[in-house]
Amino acid sequence: MPVSLGLDLGRSGHTALAVVGGDNWRLRLINLDRYDSISAPEVETFVLRAYAQFAPQVIIIERNGPGGVFAELIAQRNPGIPIFAPDMGHPPIDLELWEGTQFIPDEYLNIRAEMYFILHSLLKYRRLKFPHEDSELFAQLSATEWEFDRTKAEKIKIKSKKGMQIHDNSSELEGIDFSRSPDKADALALACFGYALIAGDALSEETQTNDVIDPAAPGIFNIGQIDLEEL
């Protein structure tokens, strides 16, 4: 079973770690943790512990911000760890998803938009299962929006974190500010991007399953306030 780990190191002082895995693009969120630290020794401990427990084929750490330095440090000290640290601002990678789902790299601004397209598609086609509801994760995802980049050939991008607002009527989310660091959402999107990198093009379409939390259900989320079809 392909397994991917996404690690987001937030400037707010938190580290979020997500692990996804599954066969034939039927994914499950295996693990999602947040740590109140971004110190190099502790982050290395988080990564090594998760690598030993879940054996991911790839660990994705975004090169931007503190992630690039930490990825290089961990890779140097642990040469057997499969770390890939993409620059989120680079153009998208031409990846093959499951049959019937097409990603057109030229329409998207960068890898950050690409990884959220993958996550959006997994939710839209009910291919990502959550073991339980996570109000904070779902709120962060509900705040993630698409927009056109007006300065770069009107390609699709993800709105900046500064412009994020929570679009959820759930009372348990009132008064909670998630806008400064959508760390759980980013870690999950990174993990799904990693799965796409290792899944290859040998996976085939199968009958849809319904054993997921419905993103349209009350109290959950619908990632992005602009539907892709409208773009």
Side-chain angles (χ1 to χ4, degrees), residues 28-192:
R28 179 181 178 86
L29 176 59
I30 298 172
N31 187 71
L32 180 62
D33 283 322
R34 173 192 283 139
Y35 308 95
D36 293 327
S37 174
I38 57 169
S39 75
E42 290 182 313
V43 170
E44 183 178 22
T45 298
F46 304 153
V47 171
L48 294 180
R49 184 186 303 148
Y51 180 69
Q53 182 177 358
F54 303 109
Q57 281 83 14
V58 67
I59 298 171
I60 306 294
I61 306 176
E62 64 177 85
R63 185 174 298 278
N64 314 74
V69 175
F70 283 29
E72 183 175 352
L73 174 65
I74 295 171
Q76 287 178 348
R77 289 165 57 92
N78 306 273
I81 300 293
I83 290 180
F84 176 49
D87 186 325
M88 294 292 104
H90 280 187
I93 300 172
D94 191 3
L95 294 175
E96 179 127 2
L97 306 183
W98 60 91
E99 184 179 344
T101 300
Q102 184 179 19
F103 175 71
I104 305 176
D106 289 344
E107 294 183 358
Y108 290 81
L109 181 64
N110 50 32
I111 291 177
R112 179 170 177 79
E114 178 177 18
M115 74 179 191
Y116 269 100
F117 171 88
I118 294 169
L119 176 54
H120 174 99
S121 298
L122 287 166
L123 296 173
K124 178 179 177 181
Y125 294 105
R126 302 172 61 80
R127 287 176 171 265
L128 177 60
K129 180 178 179 180
F130 298 95
H132 55 78
E133 294 189 20
D134 185 320
S135 297
E136 190 169 18
L137 169 64
F138 295 166
Q140 290 179 7
L141 290 171
S142 74
T144 304
E145 297 182 347
W146 310 91
E147 66 179 359
F148 284 115
D149 186 281
R150 302 299 180 184
T151 63
K152 296 184 182 295
E154 295 198 348
K155 293 189 176 184
I156 300 168
K157 70 174 186 177
I158 299 296
K159 280 189 177 181
S160 70
K161 298 178 182 180
K162 293 181 179 179
M164 291 179 65
Q165 296 181 355
I166 299 301
H167 299 274
D168 197 297
N169 296 322
S170 176
S171 59
E172 64 181 302
L173 303 178
E174 291 180 0
I176 303 177
D177 180 14
F178 301 101
S179 62
R180 286 187 295 175
S181 180
D183 48 3
K184 287 185 175 182
D186 280 354
L188 177 59
L190 287 165
C192 293

